[in-house]
Amino acid sequence: MRFALLLEALHPRPWSPTGDGRRLRDLVDVAVAAEPLGFSRAWIGERHFHEELQHAGPPEIALAQIAGRTRRLGLGLGPLLAHPRVQHPARLAAAVAALDALSGGRVAVAFAEPSSAIELQPLRIARGGTRQAADRTIGRVARLLAEEPFGGEPGTDGIPVRQLVPRPQQRPHPPLWRACDRPGDVRVAAEGGLGGLVRCLLEPEEAAEWAREHAEVQRSERCVPLGAAVEPGFALCLPFHVAEDPERALDEGLDALHLHRHLLDHHTRFGAHRPGRTSAAGEFERRRAQAGYDPAPVRAAARDPLAVRVGGSLRGAVGDPGQVLGLLERYRDAGVDEIVLVPPVGLLAGDVLERSLRLLAREVLPELREDEDDDLVEADDPFAARALARRAGAITAPETIVLPREDGVERLGPPPALGVGTVSGAVEDGGSGDRGGDGVVAGDARRGVALAVRDALARRGGAALGTLLDGGGNGLVRRAMASDPALWVIFRGMARQLRHAGRSGAFRGELSFELHDEVGRTRTWTVAAGALRTSARRGAAGTPALTVRISVEDLLRLAGGRIDAGSALLDGRLDLEGDLALAVRLGDLFRG
């Protein structure tokens, strides 16, 4: 049996400017102190806008601090809210991988469906469909962590082929768990091949039923893993406080435990909340009895064997070492792999909490953790192997990855001035800082080409073109604009704009545009400037001064300011060959 902690930075009102910092440091200190006491893991969950209940912020921040001050302690990241409106799966996967790499492979990740109204409303998450969104988020995070490279997803909202960095140390990925708050959640976790982290309070007999269902479903045909590995663990959260005798344990810890659970109920069950004004802790005494936190029945049974609930009131694991040991042995016999103890950090004095942890570690845990170092998952587990074989889209890394030619980026405001600032800034950051270097010339060349094409199109229905580019995918843009008559209008407009440059001698020669499509075909157009006339024609140039290679869709998007020239070059969507100094001047030449 393993023992872990679930830590929340509780901070009842009134608040002080330095209060949250103290709570966070206390939380980290408790986790660090737990390592030499024999705890296997510290979980820190994600909650947003839960005033007084959780002031820890993004859990990876505190866990990174804990990682730097410990060597063996497992880092439980979560439960995290599994929904793309909370954070993009690629961002979430990168955070998991970075923490796992930083800690030397000590991370486990738990996910939860968003369910609290105080989070759903500001994040614009509808209650319906959160389970499906969670499944998809978990699956995408698992693939990003395991695949090298990530093999991509279909659809306009899919993530294309990419390599996630940094890479996690654990392969194929850290263990994946799912928070379980209702009986049906255990089945869902098992069907996805995930460990079950039970957050609601269960008596040992109830826990036995949940653990049995979790194991049976994972060993059945219904288990189709969301990740690249099966996590069979079953964990249970349990509030606790231990003292030398039962009465002292209740005097010290019961009110703190009850307040902690009341704060949780306020935000997730029955609270009427005014953000920034309501004091849920202040309402505790008024509501505790009817909410199931009456201390009287618990104190009347102070020396009885522990039960999670006594006389309709919550007790949890509050008692002396013998009472707590008896309760935990019943959970062990029920099939619980990991007990996640929940101390009321911030509600108890630091020395009282430390004494409770030390007493637990000295007199209770040694009796139960005999098999703590044994792996929960056997490498040759036949049930896990069969489940992974049922997994759709088995993880395979293609030998050759051809990055798709994506649609233009979504425009959230007016299109940026193409190539101004963005392109040159990117070149300067990545180069030597020498304004005369090749990197700066290449950046200016991209800018010149972009301005030249944009200026040419500005005189040919730019507003209508912009509407098409914003609203249409590659297929629509290709059908509307990739015909020879349409391209003839575009390149003839370029030639007309270049006329003054030819007559003045600023430029005489040929420019070649090689336009390719999705099946690998290439069409070449030439724009030429001579002393007397300029021209545009379909076909290859004799000796072009500059060759521009791009798809017709990206040419139009580049011109309309929908994609950035520097990014297009780095992504392989734009290629320049020839006189880059000429490319730098193209914008001015076409304006002439």
Side-chain angles (χ1 to χ4, degrees), residues 42-44 59-60 63 75-80 92 95-96 99 107-111:
W43 291 95
I44 301 179
E60 57 265 32
L63 287 170
L75 306 174
L77 182 57
L80 303 173
L92 179 53
V96 173
L99 186 60
V107 171
V109 189
F111 298 92

Side-chain angles (χ1 to χ4, degrees), residues 182-549:
R182 301 171 297 274
D185 294 344
V186 173
R187 172 185 51 79
V188 172
E191 288 175 345
L194 307 173
L197 177 59
V198 178
R199 295 190 292 185
C200 59
L201 301 181
L202 302 180
E203 299 289 356
E205 296 72 25
E206 297 172 306
E209 297 178 8
W210 288 39
R212 182 167 51 252
E213 181 177 15
H214 184 264
E216 289 175 354
V217 172
Q218 276 203 347
R219 286 166 170 74
S220 73
E221 298 293 318
R222 295 158 61 188
C223 178
V224 181
L226 294 172
V230 174
E231 171 53 63
F234 184 83
L236 181 81
C237 294
L238 186 66
F240 83 103
H241 183 69
V242 186
E244 289 78 3
D245 60 77
E247 289 81 9
R248 182 174 182 179
L250 293 173
D251 289 341
E252 291 178 343
L254 186 63
D255 286 349
L257 183 152
H258 281 180
L259 175 55
H260 187 176
R261 298 299 300 186
H262 172 80
L263 293 174
L264 178 63
D265 288 344
H266 172 81
H267 286 290
T268 59
R269 293 176 58 197
F270 52 66
H273 191 76
R274 294 180 62 202
R277 296 290 181 269
T278 297
S279 174
E283 297 177 349
F284 171 60
E285 286 298 333
R286 181 170 55 84
R287 302 199 58 173
R288 66 181 300 179
Q290 60 267 37
Y293 303 119
D294 186 355
V298 177
R299 292 183 181 278
R303 293 190 173 270
D304 293 348
L306 290 190
V308 172
R309 291 196 175 274
V310 177
S313 185
L314 175 68
R315 177 165 186 174
V318 179
D320 65 22
Q323 290 174 311
V324 174
L325 175 60
L327 179 63
L328 296 184
E329 285 176 333
R330 293 167 60 199
Y331 283 119
R332 177 198 60 193
D333 297 340
V336 177
D337 302 307
E338 181 173 314
I339 289 290
V340 183
L341 297 168
V342 187
V345 179
L347 303 183
L348 288 180
D351 60 335
V352 174
L353 179 56
E354 181 182 359
R355 177 162 41 81
S356 174
L357 289 171
R358 290 187 178 279
L359 187 60
L360 185 79
R362 185 176 65 248
E363 299 191 23
V364 178
L365 302 192
E367 303 295 325
L368 297 164
R369 66 183 182 205
E370 298 171 350
D371 300 327
E372 185 180 351
D373 294 331
D374 294 344
D375 290 335
L376 291 177
V377 184
E378 297 180 3
D380 57 352
D381 183 349
F383 296 105
R386 287 197 289 268
L388 290 170
R390 292 189 291 270
R391 182 170 177 261
I395 292 176
T396 57
E399 295 182 2
T400 302
I401 295 297
V402 179
L403 295 179
R405 300 189 176 280
E406 303 123 341
D407 287 342
V409 296
E410 179 182 4
R411 182 165 64 89
L412 301 178
L418 208 109
V420 177
T422 304
V423 175
S424 61
V427 172
E428 290 171 17
D429 288 344
S432 63
D434 181 1
R435 294 293 301 173
D438 292 340
V440 175
V441 172
D444 292 339
R446 294 190 297 268
R447 182 165 61 251
V449 170
L451 289 172
V453 177
R454 187 180 63 183
D455 287 349
L457 292 176
R459 304 183 186 182
R460 292 287 173 177
L465 175 62
T467 301
L468 174 64
L469 295 177
D470 284 338
N474 272 352
L476 179 58
V477 173
R478 189 181 307 118
R479 289 191 298 273
M481 299 298 297
S483 65
D484 281 351
L487 292 174
W488 169 252
V489 172
I490 292 170
F491 287 113
R492 187 172 59 180
M494 290 185 184
R496 185 176 294 112
Q497 288 179 261
L498 196 59
R499 185 173 301 159
H500 178 72
R503 290 177 179 174
S504 66
F507 169 69
R508 294 178 185 176
E510 294 180 320
L511 304 174
S512 178
F513 292 82
E514 295 181 4
L515 309 179
H516 50 78
D517 61 19
E518 75 284 358
V519 296
R521 295 174 302 188
T522 299
R523 284 179 288 174
T524 303
W525 287 77
T526 298
V527 177
L532 299 178
R533 61 187 296 268
T534 57
S535 64
R537 68 178 188 277
R538 182 172 180 180
T543 55
L546 179 70
T547 299
V548 179
R549 298 186 180 93

Side-chain angles (χ1 to χ4, degrees), residues 7 24 27-29 31-32 42-44 56-71 73-78 91 94-104 106-108:
L7 302 175
L24 276 164
L27 182 148
V28 171
D29 289 342
V32 173
W43 291 95
I44 301 179
E60 57 265 32
I61 295 176
L63 287 170
Q65 180 77 1
I66 295 168
R69 295 177 56 187
T70 56
R71 292 294 176 267
L73 186 71
L75 306 174
L77 182 57
R91 169 66 175 79
V96 173
L99 186 60
D100 195 57
L102 176 69
S103 66
R106 292 187 275 151
V107 171

Side-chain angles (χ1 to χ4, degrees), residues 144-157:
L144 284 159
L145 290 167
E147 297 182 16
E148 297 188 42
F150 173 75
E153 298 173 313
T156 56
D157 63 340

